[in-house]
Amino acid sequence: MDEYEYEKERSKKLEEAVIETYKQEEEMMILVFAQWCVNHGLDPEEMYRQAYPNQQSNERLQQVQKLIVSKEEAGEIPDDTVLGVLSMFGNEDLAMVVSEAIAARK
């Protein structure tokens, strides 16, 4: 393998690692959102549909729901935390729906 092929392969592996890390972090964001919803007596899928009415459903949200625990088992997730992770991943519409739920609660 010459130097060009080595660099190309190395670049490809780095890109794959970055993509995998992003997917794992995105999954954590979805879990934080879903657990926050459960902690506040809200349905994560319904909240998602309110934010994205033109999408059928979110397969990753459905997968992550298997990891959700009861409100009693879960730790508190501050409102600012869920809003922060949603914004970090560009889920502004979902953050707006969450903000509305927070305002309705207060």
Side-chain angles (χ1 to χ4, degrees):
M1 179 180 296
D2 67 20
E3 189 173 329
Y4 171 76
E5 289 173 338
Y6 173 77
E7 282 299 318
K8 189 174 176 183
E9 183 65 26
R10 190 169 152 237
S11 177
K12 182 180 175 187
K13 286 182 180 181
L14 178 60
E15 183 179 324
E16 288 170 357
V18 168
I19 290 169
E20 185 59 33
T21 298
Y22 180 85
K23 285 180 181 178
Q24 289 172 355
E25 290 174 355
E26 185 180 41
E27 191 165 292
M28 184 58 66
M29 176 268 303
I30 295 168
L31 180 58
V32 167
F33 161 72
Q35 187 64 59
W36 178 89
C37 288
V38 168
N39 288 0
H40 293 282
L42 303 166
D43 179 354
E45 289 195 57
E46 178 57 34
M47 298 280 287
Y48 187 86
R49 275 192 294 279
Q50 288 177 28
Y52 305 107
N54 296 327
Q55 291 186 18
Q56 295 293 329
S57 65
N58 185 313
E59 185 177 316
R60 295 183 77 192
L61 176 57
Q62 291 172 350
Q63 291 171 349
V64 164
Q65 289 196 44
K66 298 171 189 166
L67 304 173
I68 297 171
V69 296
S70 70
K71 178 180 179 177
E72 294 73 30
E73 293 177 83
E76 178 62 27
I77 299 172
D79 297 340
D80 290 344
T81 299
V82 73
L83 290 171
V85 296
L86 290 172
S87 293
M88 188 175 10
F89 282 86
N91 286 309
E92 301 304 328
D93 293 339
L94 193 52
M96 182 63 70
V97 171
V98 168
S99 294
E100 291 168 1
I102 292 168
R105 189 178 71 219
K106 292 184 176 179

